Amino acid sequence: MQVAAQMYTLRDFTKTREGFVDALEKVAQIGYPAVQLSAVGCMEGESPEVSAADAKAILDQFGLACCATHRSIDRLVNHTDAEIKFHRTLGCTYTAIGGAWGYPNTAEGYRKLIADLTPAVQALKSAGITFGYHNHSHEFIRATPTHSCLDILIEEGGPDWQFEVDTYWVQNAGVDPAGFLAALAGRLDAVHLKDREVVEKDGAVMAPVGEGNLDWEGILQACQGSGTKWLIVEQDVCRRDPFDCLKSSFEYLTGLLS
């Protein structure tokens, strides 16, 4: 397993090409070998300041790989060929959606999501690109008396649906992350790691890995047993400098893995 940085953590720093280059340089200096490209402002829009080819050149400059992306449902469903080209240019073989945005949290809603995405998932697979679903807490809403919305994706999406499980959101839903990860063995190429810390006044907040209350030895053991390739550090909200948070997480994880 290797540790990567989710660039969503640094989204406020990647709105311009200059900021993107600076952020990647700092991530490489921390020691990360790879990043997930998500919410990189300078790469978005019809005429992005940084194209996929530009991004690949910048990544190469700092010895970084693109281990994963987050792409919109619309892009994957309605612009599948362009998305395949985009990922091939980056040298990236894993993409995920960040949630079932626009679909109701019902059994019918999630079955429609599966139906809408199936052609794209199959086309991506044929091109050598793995598809994943990134969870939050709302997918654990009961869709039937026996199944959550996430259960429906797991059981009815089929083996071509991987799950980019987010440890914080699983814990936030009241589910044991290590047990949940172990149950998804073989469908966990990439996992999002963030800690959950309890602080005075604010209650539970996101924290760098190792600074909260999650069972990291159990989580990493479950990831190892489930065939995880990439442990991707993501922190949506940082209570101090995001680069320092990424550094703290990296040092803690590499210490556990060594």
Side-chain angles (χ1 to χ4, degrees):
M1 297 187 294
Q2 295 189 74
V3 182
Q6 160 64 310
M7 294 302 288
Y8 182 76
T9 310
L10 304 174
R11 60 195 178 279
D12 291 337
F13 301 88
T14 62
K15 297 176 181 178
T16 65
R17 186 183 192 282
E18 181 181 5
F20 182 53
V21 171
D22 181 64
L24 289 177
E25 183 175 16
K26 289 178 179 176
V27 166
Q29 287 172 346
I30 291 170
Y32 284 98
V35 296
Q36 176 167 2
L37 294 181
S38 175
V40 177
C42 64
M43 294 183 69
E44 296 177 350
E46 291 299 319
S47 301
E49 184 181 6
V50 175
S51 67
D54 293 335
K56 181 65 166 65
I58 298 167
L59 289 166
D60 288 347
Q61 178 185 344
F62 298 118
L64 293 167
C66 177
C67 66
T69 68
H70 267 181
R71 305 297 285 175
S72 72
I73 295 171
D74 172 69
R75 289 294 310 173
L76 294 177
V77 170
N78 298 314
H79 306 276
T80 311
D81 289 344
E83 286 298 301
I84 289 171
K85 181 179 179 181
F86 177 86
H87 286 84
R88 282 178 169 166
T89 301
L90 285 171
C92 178
T93 59
Y94 186 99
T95 187
I97 58 172
W101 310 122
Y103 292 79
N105 290 308
T106 62
E108 294 74 18
Y110 278 66
R111 285 173 179 140
K112 186 174 190 311
L113 175 68
I114 292 170
D116 289 349
L117 275 164
T118 292
V121 172
Q122 292 304 310
L124 290 166
K125 179 182 178 181
S126 296
I129 301 167
T130 299
F131 169 81
Y133 182 94
H134 175 276
N135 70 281
H136 292 79
S137 295
H138 62 267
E139 293 92 348
F140 290 91
I141 290 172
R142 286 285 173 182
T144 74
T146 59
H147 286 64
S148 69
C149 294
L150 194 52
D151 288 333
I152 289 172
L153 293 185
I154 293 168
E155 293 186 12
E156 300 182 24
D160 293 333
W161 279 61
Q162 289 251 345
F163 290 90
E164 192 179 44
V165 172
D166 186 298
T167 56
Y168 174 94
W169 291 116
V170 173
Q171 182 73 49
N172 194 62
V175 177
D176 171 48
F180 187 69
L181 289 162
L184 284 170
R187 299 171 74 179
L188 286 172
D189 281 4
V191 173
H192 273 193
L193 307 185
K194 64 169 71 82
D195 217 332
R196 192 170 187 265
E197 179 185 11
V198 178
V199 299
E200 192 174 1
K201 296 182 181 179
D202 292 333
V205 297
M206 295 178 182
V209 178
E211 296 185 19
N213 299 316
L214 270 65
D215 171 20
W216 289 107
E217 290 189 4
I219 288 169
L220 294 184
Q221 184 177 10
C223 288
Q224 185 77 57
S226 297
T228 301
K229 300 173 183 176
W230 289 103
L231 304 168
I232 304 175
V233 175
E234 177 184 55
Q235 194 172 337
D236 310 25
V237 180
C238 299
R239 292 164 58 83
R240 64 177 190 270
D241 177 61
F243 291 99
D244 186 58
C245 290
L246 285 176
K247 183 174 186 290
S248 178
S249 293
F250 181 79
E251 291 175 348
Y252 178 80
L253 286 167
T254 53
L256 283 183
L257 292 168
S258 62

